[in-house]
């Protein structure tokens, strides 16, 4: 009987390892790639400034959490309106709703420029075809 309990305990330990691995994979999928975070951080810093791994990982976690927070609010708006697609206007609305007005304005301007550029590309492609 003791052997069976020990085997069951070993099995549970293995299952715990699998759960930890699965949680790690899910966590990595949730985070922005650390190389991208590091590149963005370097753009704002003086040349030759070093950034520690800890600083990059902290920023990676913060920006990923911020994106999730805003996206969740935008998604909830879409769910209430019975829509399945979150669009740029929903993200801008979520930023404002969550009190990030300083980000909403620049995001709206970017979205407007993006749409103008996208429409110009679409017209140019239609003229070619």
């Amino acid at each position: 009987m003791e052997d069976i309990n020990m085997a069951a305990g070993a099995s549970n330990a293995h299952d715990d390892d699998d759960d930890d691995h699965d949680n790690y994979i899910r966590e990595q999928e949730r985070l922005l790639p650390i190389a991208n975070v590091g590149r963005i951080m370097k753009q704002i810093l003086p040349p030759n400034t070093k950034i520690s791994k800890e600083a990059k990982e902290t920023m990676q976690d913060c920006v990923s959490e911020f994106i999730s927070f805003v996206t969740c609010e935008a998604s909830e708006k879409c769910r209430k309106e019975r829509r399945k697609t979150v669009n740029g206007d929903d993200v801008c609305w979520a930023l404002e709703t969550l009190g990030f007005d300083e980000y909403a304005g620049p995001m709206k301007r970017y979205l407007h420029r993006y749409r103008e550029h996208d429409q110009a590309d679409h017209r140019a492609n239609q003229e070619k075809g």
Side-chain angles (χ1 to χ4, degrees), residues 61-116:
D61 196 42
C62 289
V63 298
S64 298
E65 187 64 31
F66 178 76
I67 290 168
S68 296
F69 184 54
V70 173
T71 303
C72 185
E73 188 72 20
S75 178
E76 184 63 19
K77 176 183 188 284
C78 292
R79 187 190 64 76
K80 287 177 181 175
E81 295 175 359
R82 292 190 166 92
R83 292 187 292 120
K84 292 186 179 186
T85 304
V86 175
N87 62 39
D89 293 318
D90 299 320
V91 172
C92 293
W93 175 88
L95 286 168
E96 288 177 336
T97 300
L98 295 169
F100 297 109
D101 298 344
E102 292 178 21
Y103 297 104
M107 184 67 82
K108 284 180 181 179
R109 288 189 295 277
Y110 171 82
L111 186 58
H112 180 73
R113 284 194 315 266
Y114 173 83
R115 287 176 175 162
E116 285 179 340

Side-chain angles (χ1 to χ4, degrees), residues 42-59:
K42 275 196 163 289
Q43 289 175 0
I44 197 73
L45 296 170
N48 302 321
T49 302
K50 304 268 189 238
I51 305 170
S52 72
K53 181 180 178 186
E54 178 188 37
K56 289 177 191 175
E57 288 173 349
T58 301
M59 187 62 72

